[in-house]
Amino acid sequence: MQVVTRCLRTEIEHQQKLHGYSLTKLAELTRIPVGNLSSILSLNEASRSMTIGQLDTLAMVFNQAPGWQYELYPDECYSEDRLSRKRLVPYLVRCAEVGRYDCIEPIVSKLLDNQKNVSILFAVAEKLFQNEKPNESAYFYNLVIIY
């Protein structure tokens, strides 16, 4: 039995081919500059990290539901075991907004290996509260209280 590891960039490349989009056409549809898109979709180590907004835009262009491929996005939030707060907070906010709690739980487990990261959960709760998402923010406020 062969184990297939899924990768965000290969999933996007698959959709790109499925829809018959060139890189230029995909850049035009997403309004992501072609150079940035090329760097984002590169499969080499130096590829540029993608924002959650860019992933959402790609999902929309590929006619996918909100939250498409969110389970593969956490790799964009970590580099060399360092976490990018500027990528992680918007990701967790979007996960909550679209109901992808299945993607939140593994991140929370990893985050809470270091107690200092509780501040990230608080930042997510505050952002959701500011966005008038009281139920979603309550989930994160409860995590802050628990931990």
Side-chain angles (χ1 to χ4, degrees), residues 86-106:
K86 75 177 189 171
R87 296 222 186 277
L88 189 59
V89 170
Y91 169 64
L92 291 172
V93 167
R94 282 297 293 150
C95 284
E97 288 175 343
V98 301
R100 290 296 310 265
Y101 288 91
D102 61 307
C103 296
I104 294 171
E105 291 165 10

Side-chain angles (χ1 to χ4, degrees), residues 5-54:
T5 303
R6 293 176 59 216
C7 166
L8 183 56
R9 283 161 179 76
T10 55
E11 295 290 331
I12 292 168
E13 185 179 288
H14 172 73
Q15 286 293 315
Q16 183 183 354
K17 287 178 183 173
L18 193 68
H19 286 83
Y21 296 150
S22 66
L23 186 63
T24 304
K25 181 65 177 175
L26 188 58
E28 179 185 312
L29 292 170
T30 60
R31 296 190 174 150
I32 299 171
V34 72
N36 290 357
L37 190 58
S38 176
S39 181
I40 287 167
L41 298 179
S42 171
L43 290 172
N44 67 36
E45 292 287 325
S47 66
R48 173 185 233 162
S49 291
M50 160 181 343
T51 68
I52 196 65
Q54 290 166 332

Side-chain angles (χ1 to χ4, degrees), residues 45-135:
E45 292 287 325
S47 66
R48 173 185 233 162
S49 291
M50 160 181 343
T51 68
I52 196 65
Q54 290 166 332
L55 180 57
D56 285 342
T57 300
L58 287 162
M60 188 176 65
V61 166
F62 295 142
N63 300 312
Q64 299 294 328
W68 176 73
Q69 301 300 338
Y70 275 22
E71 66 278 8
L72 300 177
Y73 187 80
D75 289 340
E76 302 297 309
C77 301
Y78 291 91
S79 66
E80 299 171 18
D81 289 330
R82 294 192 60 210
L83 105 101
S84 170
R85 184 181 177 115
K86 75 177 189 171
R87 296 222 186 277
L88 189 59
V89 170
Y91 169 64
L92 291 172
V93 167
R94 282 297 293 150
C95 284
E97 288 175 343
V98 301
R100 290 296 310 265
Y101 288 91
D102 61 307
C103 296
I104 294 171
E105 291 165 10
I107 292 288
V108 169
S109 302
K110 191 170 183 177
L111 269 180
L112 294 175
D113 287 343
N114 182 340
Q115 284 296 317
K116 288 189 217 175
N117 291 333
V118 170
S119 67
I120 293 171
L121 300 178
F122 185 75
V124 172
E126 289 287 282
K127 185 71 174 163
L128 287 164
F129 187 77
Q130 290 167 3
N131 292 349
E132 299 180 5
K133 304 283 186 181
N135 295 336

